[in-house]
Amino acid sequence: MKFIQVKDYKHLSREAADLIINRVRQKPSLKLGLATGETPIETYRLLIDDHQKNGTSYKQVKTFNLDEYVGLSGEHEQSYHYFMKKYLFDHIDIPKECTYIPNGNGQGLAECNLYEDIISQHGGIDLQLLGIGRNGHIGFNEPGTSFDSKTHVIDLTPSTREANARFFNGIEKVPTKAITMGISTILQSKEILMIISGESKREALHNLIHNGIDEAFPASALKNHPNVTVIVDEAACGNTRLPN
Ligand code: GLP
C-alpha cells in the first residue's frame, strides 16, 4: 500500500480527483468503481468541475457502485442511487445506463449474482474508489466478512447504523441490511484508491497500518492487493506515523 499524506480534506479531494481524472483520460472507457459516504463528495465535485471546465468526458466510462441499502427505493434521499445522481451522475455526460449500482430491492442472491456477472462481463473494474468505516468496513463489508466474499446481502452492525444515523432522522430509520460488493470483488479491481479523512477515522487508519491481515478488520484485506493508494489527511493521521 502506498500512503500519501495531505494537509486537509480539500487537498485530499484534489489529489483523489486528479488521480481519477488521469485514469479517465488515459483510458476513456475506464471501468470505475465508486463509493458513497461523506468523504468522496468533494472529489465528485472536482470531477464535475473538471468535466465542465476541461471537458473530460465520461461518455464511454462505466461505473460500478460498491453498495446500496436494502429496502430503500432509488428515489429515497438516503439511497445510494439518489446520492450518486445528486453528487455526480446528473452533472457529467455519463449515460445513465452505464452506471451500475446494486439493487437494494432485488431478489437477494439472484441480484448479487447478477451484479457479479455485470462486473465480469465488462472485464472487471480498473479503478475502485473506497472510503473506510470507523470499524474498518469497506463497502458495507462489516468486520468478520470473509475475504473470499462476492456481492452479498449483509446485516449492518449497530455501530455502522449509528454512524450513518446522521443522514436519516434517527437510528431506527437506518436500514438494517445492505447489499455490497464482497471483499474478493473489491480485491479483483486492478487498482484501488482509498480516501481517509477526519478525526473520526483516526482509529481506523491506525488499525489499518498496525493490524495484521485479519477478517476482523475488513480494510486489512487491501494489504493483499498489489496496487493500492491510500490518501490521508492530517486530521485522520493524528500521531500515527505512516509507513515509508
Ligand atoms: C458507508 C459506505 C462506505 C463508506 C462509509 C464511510 O458505510 N457504505 O462505502 O466508506 O460509509 O463513510 P463516510 O465517508 O461518510 O465516513
Side-chain angles (χ1 to χ4, degrees):
M1 282 198 282
K2 176 182 155 202
F3 285 88
I4 300 175
Q5 186 180 342
V6 294
K7 191 170 178 305
D8 54 20
Y9 178 64
K10 200 174 135 201
H11 288 84
L12 171 139
S13 306
R14 182 73 269 163
E15 194 83 30
D18 284 349
L19 191 147
I20 296 169
I21 292 163
N22 254 317
R23 298 298 182 270
V24 174
R25 291 202 184 137
Q26 281 162 2
K27 184 178 177 186
S29 63
L30 194 79
K31 310 297 179 295
L32 178 60
L34 296 174
T36 52
E38 249 179 311
T39 314
I41 290 178
E42 177 65 8
T43 302
Y44 293 155
R45 197 192 64 74
L46 292 169
L47 295 186
I48 295 166
D49 190 54
D50 163 74
H51 166 71
Q52 290 169 348
K53 290 194 179 125
N54 307 319
T56 304
S57 174
Y58 294 79
K59 273 191 183 140
Q60 296 177 55
V61 170
K62 304 256 181 333
T63 62
F64 304 88
N65 265 79
L66 285 166
D67 48 12
E68 177 59 289
Y69 289 110
V70 165
L72 299 189
S73 81
E75 282 73 52
H76 190 291
E77 288 194 13
Q78 296 311 331
S79 76
Y80 289 162
H81 280 73
Y82 188 94
F83 176 103
M84 289 311 305
K85 280 192 251 167
K86 176 174 173 186
Y87 290 111
L88 185 63
F89 299 154
D90 280 353
H91 314 284
I92 56 174
D93 60 348
I94 191 162
K96 294 296 172 279
E97 63 277 15
C98 296
T99 61
Y100 298 98
I101 304 180
N103 178 2
N105 291 306
Q107 294 301 310
L109 187 60
E111 175 61 30
C112 296
N113 293 339
L114 176 68
Y115 201 62
E116 286 290 326
D117 288 347
I118 293 172
I119 296 172
S120 335
Q121 279 159 17
H122 285 94
I125 293 170
D126 295 307
L127 172 65
Q128 175 68 54
L129 177 65
L130 288 181
I132 189 169
R134 293 176 201 183
N135 61 6
H137 73 232
I138 48 176
F140 264 135
N141 292 287
E142 296 283 31
T145 306
S146 164
F147 284 177
D148 294 329
S149 53
K150 301 279 188 189
T151 300
H152 60 289
V153 173
I154 195 157
D155 290 319
L156 298 175
T157 61
S159 85
T160 295
R161 293 184 66 232
E162 198 183 297
N164 287 345
R166 65 194 195 276
F167 302 118
F168 292 81
N169 263 335
I171 188 165
E172 68 286 351
K173 300 237 172 64
V174 183
T176 55
K177 289 180 188 295
I179 175 170
T180 179
M181 276 185 204
I183 294 187
S184 115
T185 322
I186 294 171
L187 290 181
Q188 275 165 23
S189 310
K190 296 177 188 78
E191 179 177 10
I192 294 176
L193 171 61
M194 175 174 257
I195 46 179
I196 309 182
S197 170
E199 215 180 309
S200 68
K201 299 294 168 64
R202 206 170 271 185
E203 195 182 332
L205 176 61
H206 182 272
N207 291 338
L208 177 64
I209 291 169
H210 294 288
N211 286 10
I213 300 176
D214 188 338
E215 288 180 353
F217 192 76
S220 66
L222 301 179
K223 295 182 181 185
N224 284 326
H225 192 285
N227 191 5
V228 181
T229 302
V230 187
I231 307 175
V232 301
D233 64 12
E234 284 175 9
C237 275
N239 294 325
T240 301
R241 282 172 61 94
L242 297 175
N244 292 321

